[in-house]
Amino acid sequence: MLSMWGNLVALCLVATTVSGAEKGLSSHAALLADNSASLALDLYQIMAKEKMTENILISPVVVASSLGLVALGGKSSTASQVKTVLSASKVKDEQLHAGLSEVLTEVSNSTARNVTWKISNRLYGPSSVNFADDFVKNSKKHYSYEHSKINFRDKRSAVSAINEWASKSTDGKLSEVTKNVEKTDGAMIVNAMFYKPHWDEQFHHKMVDDRVFLVSRSLALSVPMMHRTGLYKFHEDTTNHLFVLSMPLARKMSSVIFIMPYHVEPLERLEKLLTRKQLDAWFSKMEDRAVAISLPKTSFEVSHDLQKHLAELGLTEAVDKAKADLSNISGKKDLYLSNVFHASAMEWSTEGNPPDTSIFGTDKLRNPKLFYADHPFIFLVKDNKTNSILFIGRLVRPKGDKIRDEL
Ligand SMILES: *[C@@H]1O[C@H](CO)[C@@H](O)[C@H](O)[C@H]1NC(C)=O
Ligand SMILES: *[C@@H]1O[C@H](CO)[C@@H](O)[C@H](O)[C@H]1NC(C)=O
Ligand SMILES: *[C@@H]1O[C@H](CO)[C@@H](O)[C@H](O)[C@H]1NC(C)=O
Ligand SMILES: *[C@@H]1O[C@H](CO)[C@@H](O)[C@H](O)[C@H]1NC(C)=O
């Protein structure tokens, strides 16, 4: 699963030269950041195959840190499987935890990055569990995890307690993590997040109006869209009939990359193309040019239970009641990972830094390419400094009133 780049970093690791030195990341953090990008695509591909799934929103770096928590609580093969999933079998435990922690601390620094990213993590255990002090201490230290016991037998109050906590810790942006808890006898991971990009160049708050968004050829919604023309990295892949656009976020430390087909179509075709190699090829072909962007001004909340998907990636023991050894959590072999709720709210608003007005009305903005996002697309929030993917997802169905529904 190691990419070429991952191998390179691994080589530097052996030579103990800090490959990420100029970027300030330790070598094991750089390796883990890079590997989390591979994890991102693997996980996305698995999730995209689920028929009922519409919007997808996952934060690979947060998934990686939740895996780190499982490694912290796990013993023997339950723990070593985590490293395999993270392509980090050779990384020592201490470096794994310190490295994952370093990456997340770096990319979620709101001050340095001028973005809003609230991340709250909790490990719920059944009433009978006693969390070991060491585990509590280390999971707080490395992964900012809180711990809580919950009486799963009273499902209704368990569900509302989880949802209330998630809502509170995201300032009300994420109202629901789950409607139900089926398995009530294990440990449950909950990630609750709110992310709001602050564009490097803002949209004018008045350049917003209602437009038609085509979920499919037969379903149209009325959705507020924001519009602006500026200089952006852009590539039109005429072979694959798609556009790739990169919109930098404030301080240019990360950017949102959109991958959108020319016209409305199911995203399967694009998803088949989505490999790291293809992404790198697209990125290398992007050129600065004038682009007239129209993008939904929207917020969306998505909650996934990743338990099954992580098993598909190779984390088979931790999720298996008969095999799991998570005895570093409680000192007893009494837990398995019954749910991994990964829930995020994302908001795309007009907000950003004031644009460079000196190019307004000049030749630079003449004949812009059109990027009119009125149909489903894939997006990534890619970090420029660590090479990690902060979010990957697809917007298939934004919020909006149905305009017509025929066929
Ligand atoms: C699990 O706990 C044992 C003993 O408490 C400790 O030696 C070991 O390092 C722990 N394993 C991990 C992966 O933290
Ligand atoms: C976040 O970034 C700021 C500014 O670069 C820095 O001073 C601060 O120490 C960082 N915080 C953390 C937790 O790394
Ligand atoms: C981003 O920077 C702008 C301008 O300095 C500031 O007004 C805004 O509050 C910042 N937002 C975040 C989330 O840091
Ligand atoms: C990444 O960072 C470099 C150096 O700071 C900057 O020149 C470049 O524009 C950034 N790329 C993106 C996509 O923001």
Side-chain angles (χ1 to χ4, degrees):
M1 271 223 291
L2 266 180
S3 64
M4 284 279 279
W5 170 233
N7 278 323
L8 247 167
V9 179
L11 274 175
C12 295
L13 199 69
V14 171
T16 64
T17 53
V18 182
S19 87
E22 78 281 13
K23 297 179 175 177
L25 271 195
S26 68
S27 54
H28 43 271
L31 173 75
L32 290 160
D34 190 78
N35 290 353
S36 77
S38 304
L39 177 74
L41 292 176
D42 293 343
L43 193 53
Y44 180 93
Q45 294 290 1
I46 287 173
M47 296 172 72
K49 289 196 183 92
E50 294 244 300
K51 284 280 169 283
M52 298 305 287
T53 304
E54 290 185 321
N55 299 338
I56 292 179
L57 186 56
I58 41 175
S59 171
V61 288
V62 171
V63 172
S65 91
S66 295
L67 286 169
L69 178 89
V70 177
L72 197 63
K75 272 189 183 163
S76 59
S77 47
T78 300
S80 61
Q81 269 193 346
V82 174
K83 288 191 185 171
T84 310
V85 172
L86 290 171
S87 316
S89 297
K90 298 211 171 70
V91 178
K92 290 201 184 82
D93 282 358
E94 197 43 50
Q95 292 188 334
L96 179 83
H97 302 309
L100 288 170
S101 164
E102 191 183 334
V103 174
L104 197 60
T105 307
E106 168 62 44
V107 299
S108 63
N109 185 333
S110 297
T111 323
R113 287 163 178 271
N114 196 230
V115 296
T116 304
W117 192 4
K118 281 180 169 291
I119 309 173
S120 301
N121 302 312
R122 232 185 210 195
L123 181 75
Y124 284 99
S127 316
S128 58
V129 77
N130 282 311
F131 294 115
D133 292 344
D134 263 3
F135 175 75
V136 169
K137 194 181 81 201
N138 286 322
S139 53
K140 267 198 186 130
K141 177 178 151 201
H142 294 301
Y143 302 115
S144 306
Y145 259 79
E146 301 170 17
H147 304 78
S148 183
K149 287 195 236 188
I150 195 162
N151 180 9
F152 287 123
R153 308 265 166 238
D154 184 355
K155 274 196 195 180
R156 195 186 286 265
S157 24
V159 168
S160 73
I162 293 164
N163 289 336
E164 262 168 44
W165 168 77
S167 172
K168 213 169 148 197
S169 48
T170 55
D171 298 334
K173 301 291 182 181
L174 189 70
S175 56
E176 189 176 270
V177 166
T178 184
K179 289 192 194 322
N180 195 12
V181 190
E182 277 169 22
K183 296 171 210 140
T184 55
D185 53 352
M188 176 194 289
I189 282 177
V190 187
N191 309 128
M193 287 173 274
F194 172 58
Y195 188 86
K196 183 176 174 181
H198 188 86
W199 305 113
D200 185 45
E201 292 195 304
Q202 71 201 8
F203 286 77
H204 196 292
H205 67 280
K206 283 189 178 152
M207 296 288 282
V208 178
D209 54 12
D210 288 333
R211 299 280 173 111
V212 173
F213 186 99
L214 293 170
V215 174
S216 65
R217 281 178 196 284
S218 58
L219 176 58
L221 306 176
S222 172
V223 171
M225 298 245 275
M226 49 193 178
H227 316 277
R228 90 175 297 268
T229 300
L231 285 181
Y232 290 96
K233 287 195 191 322
F234 182 85
H235 172 62
E236 180 175 349
D237 181 338
T238 51
T239 311
N240 292 309
H241 297 248
L242 56 87
F243 302 111
V244 185
L245 167 72
S246 170
M247 289 182 67
L249 304 185
R251 314 239 165 95
K252 291 190 167 62
M253 289 170 95
S254 48
S255 49
V256 184
I257 292 161
F258 297 92
I259 304 161
M260 184 176 77
Y262 284 173
H263 307 290
V264 60
E265 63 171 292
L267 289 174
E268 278 99 320
R269 183 179 68 83
L270 264 66
E271 282 158 351
K272 286 205 181 91
L273 299 172
L274 211 60
T275 60
R276 283 198 81 175
K277 203 170 154 217
Q278 180 63 68
L279 282 177
D280 288 341
W282 283 329
F283 297 161
S284 69
K285 285 181 188 152
M286 284 200 280
E287 282 175 0
D288 284 316
R289 55 167 312 145
V291 187
I293 299 172
S294 295
L295 192 68
K297 177 182 175 296
T298 190
S299 62
F300 47 107
E301 299 85 44
V302 191
S303 180
H304 302 285
D305 187 355
L306 299 182
Q307 196 237 24
K308 194 173 68 188
H309 306 311
L310 291 175
E312 285 178 70
L313 287 177
L315 194 81
T316 55
E317 284 199 9
V319 301
D320 185 332
K321 197 176 176 179
K323 291 187 187 144
D325 185 350
L326 293 173
S327 50
N328 272 17
I329 296 183
S330 63
K332 281 193 262 176
K333 206 173 156 179
D334 56 352
L335 289 173
Y336 77 108
L337 204 55
S338 56
N339 295 90
V340 181
F341 289 117
H342 186 78
S344 338
M346 188 172 283
E347 183 177 331
W348 293 339
S349 74
T350 57
E351 287 163 42
N353 290 341
D356 172 11
T357 51
S358 70
I359 59 166
F360 285 9
T362 68
D363 275 356
K364 285 186 172 170
L365 294 184
R366 211 180 273 169
N367 300 324
K369 285 281 181 184
L370 296 186
F371 184 87
Y372 193 77
D374 71 341
H375 53 280
F377 52 83
I378 297 167
F379 63 90
L380 307 128
V381 183
K382 187 171 173 291
D383 188 52
N384 197 5
K385 187 169 170 185
T386 62
N387 207 25
S388 58
I389 294 176
L390 310 187
F391 280 95
I392 182 169
R394 66 181 183 200
L395 188 65
V396 169
R397 186 197 269 260
K399 285 173 195 157
D401 292 330
K402 208 181 273 190
I403 297 174
R404 55 173 195 270
D405 190 358
E406 51 207 34
L407 202 79

